[in-house]
Amino acid sequence: MTSRHPYSQLLQPLDLGFTTLRNRVLMGSMHTGLEDRQKNFPRLAAYFAERARGEVGLMVTGGFAPNIEGWLFPFASKLTTHGEARAHRQITDAVHAEGGKIALQILHAGRYGYTPISVSASRAKSPITPFAPRELSSRGVERQIRAFARCAALAREAGYDGVEVMGSEGYFINQFLVEHVNKRTDAWGGSFEKRMRLPVEIVSRVREAVGPDFIIVYRLSILDLIPNGQTWDETVQLAIAIEKAGATIINSGIGWHEARIPTIATSVPRAAFAWVTHKLKDHVRVPVCTTNRINDPAVAEQILASGQADMVSMARPLLADADFVKKAREQRADEINTCIACNQACLDHTFKAKTASCLVNPRACHETELNYTPTAKAKRIAVVGAGPAGLAAATVLAERGHAVDLFDAAADIGGQFNMAKRIPGKEEFHETLRYFRRKLELTGVGLHLNTYVDATRLKAGDYDEVLLATGVIPRDPKIPGQNAQQKAGRVLSYIDVLLHKKPVGQRVAVIGAGGIGFDIAEYLVNEDHSPTLDLDAWNREWGVDDPQRSRGGLTRPEIAPPARKVTLLQRKAESLGKRLGKTTGWIHRAQLKMKQVEMIGGVNYESIDERGLFVTFGEKREKPTLIEADTIVLCTGQEPLRELQGPLEAAGVKVHLIGGADVAAELDAKRAINQASRLAATL
């Protein structure tokens, strides 16, 4: 690789002594749901093979427990028998056939196990599971160590190139390292030397079981982000001992799952924790890998070129685009389908026991059944609406060989994404639109912007099919006094605020606390400043500190005052944000609490006048309460925009509804892109 290549460091091979990785990209472990049943292994094999074709240097599977006590949940993935190892051969053979390398992650859940048979250092219940673990005896600890070594030997038997020992994120090994979970007084607890015995013994026994020519990645928690986490000296001491015990690579782990600081959501700055990996790098000789929110080859290159790490771990970016590395090598970075870190189809699915996928790439984990194969009969197809659903449908159709015209009355593509990208913390949505712009060019879609099409024009176009992706219109709550105050500019829709940038006063009532209501509140309290684009500001607001100063990297947050006083309201008598994403809803609620947003549920909207919004509570509707507001923003849901459907069907045109035009439910881009892509794959 010549130094003139823009990603020369990223693409540089990594010599591990007994083997060489073709580049510096590690595909981080993700539990997809396909690991838990052997019947899904053919799908898992196809999933990894596609990413091996995409030239990833080393892939790591989702976690496999070394015994049933280490299960994440009952009957979850495990590797404990020779028969199970044989079943894995279809995965490793598929990867090796594509020139790739793959490691199996050994993950013992400890007290994070959602089972009544979970075990840990002490009987200290996790705040994120309902079961208190059983405290292991000394012999029980020894059994767990043997289970790790046996699992690693079985992984080698199964054809894996290595294993990753999961020692971070608050799982079993991590639980032995901190005093608030490990309350033991025997040889496995007390001083840090005793608490760190477990991971050192595990790595040492694993190395003994697999021999010298097998990759051992150790996932080390370099920033716990919990009260009473490890000190920095302890982290360094452990890293040195892990290297000596036989680890080939040290991978960075950031934050326990119970930590109240986001680590991988879209509002986290890119490469937010590379600086911590850099602090560790000088203390060990083995390659050190950094991780979390690295979704761009230029960011990865900068990390490596500046000496912050020897490798970069990217997990969800390789869900979003299996060809990420190949496109970078071919200098086609503008064609990468960027991970926006929304978590909606990956982590949210995992925590609902559904197969993971990707909002921007519905083929992820569905490679055996969703394919955009060339069409046997090319058609002329019109797509109306260039939001996420229309863009996905048009590009898949054109990629398959159809002649596609895409119409939109707006001056640019994107639809509702053009509002989402303006929310602080959602800047990644710009990348999805960049990807689709390039995809439209590459696939030859006829793009017609600033173009309102009616049924007559579409009928005259002699299209074989018409897809209506015309989106939604805001629902009108029809509150008494609303119209008069709209004319006065005191009542605005979310479109007025985000798209048309109409002026908003200092005291704001936001009506409707769905995803858009939360977004509007976030937008208004931050004004033009996004902590996501300012790592120092983000660290201050969330209380992330140098672990040499603050134990576990946790300190008191320093929160900038809100730009406005915002009140967020909803009709439902339940906690606001309860229906937001499983893994990100808590973040949105925390962000608004930081900014002193008042959240009120169970209200009836009685009237609006120049003073603000009058509400009552419950069924009795007693004397209305005034919520003083200079501006009231309506986020009261959406209705499908389908005005073309009737005239087209009456004219005999074959019509399909996709996205918000089909179902106007909280502007669900995941559903819209998935639905559009699947329809386009069949026409």
Side-chain angles (χ1 to χ4, degrees):
M1 191 64 55
T2 67
S3 60
R4 282 180 291 180
H5 194 287
Y7 312 120
S8 58
Q9 298 296 315
L10 183 67
L11 300 170
Q12 184 179 351
L14 180 61
D15 184 358
L16 300 176
F18 56 86
T19 190
T20 299
L21 304 182
R22 57 183 165 184
N23 53 55
R24 302 302 178 102
V25 177
L26 181 144
M27 176 175 157
S29 174
M30 291 174 284
H31 198 81
T32 66
L34 299 175
E35 300 87 358
D36 301 315
R37 301 290 176 267
Q38 285 186 17
K39 68 178 183 180
N40 289 326
F41 279 15
R43 291 176 60 186
L44 199 57
Y47 160 77
F48 282 120
E50 188 156 310
R51 282 142 187 89
R53 272 195 304 280
E55 303 180 6
V56 176
L58 175 65
M59 296 179 289
V60 181
T61 69
F64 284 84
N67 55 24
I68 63 172
E69 291 171 318
W71 266 340
L72 278 167
F73 53 87
F75 308 103
S77 53
K78 68 180 179 70
L79 178 56
T80 59
T81 69
H82 297 293
E84 289 169 346
R86 282 193 296 274
H88 280 259
R89 275 282 177 186
Q90 59 193 304
I91 298 168
T92 56
D93 287 349
V95 168
H96 295 150
E98 300 294 346
K101 283 186 168 63
I102 185 166
L104 177 128
Q105 188 188 72
I106 308 175
L107 186 153
H108 190 305
R111 71 176 192 155
Y112 279 178
Y114 211 86
T115 79
I117 60 171
S118 63
V119 295
S120 188
S122 305
R123 189 173 169 77
K125 189 178 114 30
S126 149
I128 61 174
T129 46
F131 303 103
R134 176 171 55 86
E135 180 177 321
L136 287 165
S137 65
S138 293
R139 289 177 63 187
V141 174
E142 178 63 33
R143 279 199 311 275
Q144 306 308 311
I145 296 169
R146 288 200 303 268
F148 273 89
R150 183 181 65 244
C151 185
L154 288 169
R156 177 153 201 164
E157 183 181 312
Y160 286 98
D161 301 284
V163 292
E164 178 175 76
V165 176
M166 182 49 151
S168 67
E169 264 76 0
Y171 290 112
F172 177 71
I173 293 174
N174 228 171
Q175 292 159 24
F176 270 75
L177 292 168
V178 295
E179 290 177 305
H180 79 277
V181 179
N182 185 348
K183 303 179 186 300
R184 305 173 73 97
T185 56
D186 63 359
W188 304 100
S191 68
F192 186 70
E193 285 73 16
K194 290 181 178 180
R195 283 182 276 129
M196 69 179 246
R197 244 188 96 196
L198 179 77
V200 175
E201 281 288 324
I202 286 173
V203 173
S204 179
R205 303 271 194 95
V206 166
R207 176 55 74 200
E208 185 180 338
V210 299
D213 57 344
F214 193 70
I215 298 169
I216 300 176
V217 181
Y218 184 81
R219 185 84 167 268
L220 187 142
S221 185
I222 60 172
L223 204 61
D224 286 344
L225 299 178
I226 56 167
N228 302 312
Q230 292 173 90
T231 68
W232 182 247
D233 287 346
E234 290 171 347
T235 301
V236 171
Q237 184 180 348
L238 176 60
I240 293 168
I242 290 295
E243 176 183 24
K244 187 176 178 182
T248 317
I249 296 167
I250 292 178
N251 192 7
S252 302
I254 305 294
W256 287 39
H257 284 315
E258 63 202 71
R260 293 290 86 188
I261 293 173
T263 56
I264 56 174
T266 190
S267 59
V268 178
R270 289 182 176 184
F273 305 104
W275 60 275
V276 198
T277 305
H278 192 196
K279 284 178 69 70
L280 184 68
K281 188 173 178 294
D282 291 340
H283 294 282
V284 292
R285 295 183 302 276
V286 294
V288 176
C289 183
T290 194
T291 187
N292 289 42
R293 288 289 286 121
I294 301 163
N295 64 350
D296 180 287
V299 173
E301 179 71 13
Q302 191 277 328
I303 289 168
L304 297 170
S306 62
Q308 293 184 85
D310 303 293
M311 294 186 75
V312 291
S313 172
M314 291 183 273
R316 295 168 303 161
L318 292 157
L319 277 181
D321 197 327
D323 290 328
F324 183 106
V325 183
K326 183 179 180 182
K327 288 177 178 176
R329 181 180 61 77
E330 294 175 350
Q331 300 192 46
R332 296 188 290 130
D334 61 340
E335 297 176 31
I336 291 174
N337 194 1
T338 302
C339 167
I340 60 174
C342 66
N343 293 355
Q344 291 180 31
C346 50
L347 286 170
D348 284 357
H349 278 209
T350 297
F351 283 100
K352 293 176 184 174
K354 295 168 64 176
T355 301
S357 189
C358 177
L359 181 147
V360 299
N361 176 25
R363 288 195 65 247
C365 302
H366 296 80
E367 290 81 5
T368 58
E369 44 104 3
L370 179 56
N371 285 290
Y372 308 144
T373 52
T375 181
K377 181 185 176 185
K379 295 181 177 180
R380 293 194 71 245
I381 301 177
V383 180
V384 184
L391 291 166
T395 52
V396 171
L397 287 165
E399 183 180 332
R400 295 185 56 228
H402 295 297
V404 182
D405 284 317
L406 175 61
F407 299 94
D408 201 293
D412 198 4
I413 65 167
Q416 301 285 331
F417 265 34
N418 284 316
M419 289 180 278
K421 71 186 184 185
R422 294 189 167 97
I423 307 301
K426 289 192 173 181
E427 290 83 4
E428 295 290 7
F429 285 64
H430 284 275
E431 297 293 343
T432 303
L433 298 184
R434 181 267 312 148
Y435 165 77
F436 273 123
R437 281 190 197 94
R438 184 68 178 125
K439 192 77 173 172
L440 290 171
E441 295 172 5
L442 292 170
T443 55
V445 171
L447 180 60
H448 310 276
L449 296 172
N450 295 306
T451 304
Y452 177 83
V453 285
D454 57 17
T456 303
R457 178 170 173 180
L458 290 169
K459 173 68 174 172
D462 199 27
Y463 293 104
D464 297 297
E465 319 254 357
V466 174
L467 279 61
L468 294 183
T470 41
V472 298
I473 53 174
R475 182 181 291 121
D476 185 352
K478 298 186 168 74
I479 301 168
Q482 171 189 319
N483 288 346
Q485 297 308 314
Q486 274 181 314
K487 289 174 183 172
R490 295 191 188 95
V491 173
L492 304 173
S493 73
Y494 64 88
I495 296 175
D496 292 329
V497 175
L498 294 176
L499 206 58
H500 305 308
K501 297 193 173 181
K502 292 195 175 176
V504 177
Q506 285 301 113
R507 300 171 304 167
V508 185
V510 178
I511 298 179
I516 295 173
F518 268 79
D519 278 353
I520 281 286
E522 186 76 16
Y523 178 81
L524 293 174
V525 294
N526 280 288
E527 197 64 74
D528 293 325
H529 178 67
S530 173
T532 301
L533 303 180
D534 182 345
L535 180 57
D536 288 340
W538 186 88
N539 282 336
R540 285 195 301 273
E541 290 221 332
W542 284 101
V544 178
D545 195 17
D546 187 328
Q548 277 189 283
R549 281 196 301 266
S550 304
R551 192 177 188 112
L554 198 62
T555 190
R556 184 182 296 276
E558 297 175 21
I559 299 163
R564 294 179 176 85
K565 181 182 186 302
V566 174
T567 305
L568 182 60
L569 305 110
Q570 71 177 21
R571 290 184 190 276
K572 291 188 181 73
E574 64 183 28
S575 298
L576 275 71
K578 181 180 178 180
R579 298 166 196 271
L580 298 178
K582 179 88 173 169
T583 59
T584 54
W586 72 270
I587 301 170
H588 299 305
R589 291 189 291 273
Q591 285 172 319
L592 295 193
K593 285 177 183 174
M594 283 181 190
K595 298 296 186 180
Q596 303 161 38
V597 172
E598 187 176 4
M599 301 185 224
I600 306 173
V603 303
N604 309 302
Y605 307 120
E606 299 295 348
S607 63
I608 297 172
D609 67 16
E610 67 279 0
R611 292 169 292 174
L613 173 68
F614 288 87
V615 300
T616 57
F617 299 88
E619 295 181 7
K620 291 185 179 180
R621 293 185 177 238
E622 294 174 350
K623 185 179 178 182
T625 299
L626 171 64
I627 296 173
E628 295 181 345
D630 307 308
T631 306
I632 295 166
V633 183
L634 304 178
C635 304
T636 48
Q638 300 80 30
E639 295 173 351
L641 182 58
R642 303 172 180 159
E643 60 187 8
L644 288 172
Q645 183 184 12
L648 285 171
E649 289 178 342
V653 176
K654 192 169 183 181
V655 177
H656 306 270
L657 295 173
I658 55 174
D662 179 33
V663 179
E666 275 302 319
L667 303 184
D668 188 346
K670 178 187 74 173
R671 184 191 58 78
I673 292 175
N674 183 51
Q675 178 193 33
S677 300
R678 288 179 178 273
L679 173 64
T682 63
L683 293 180

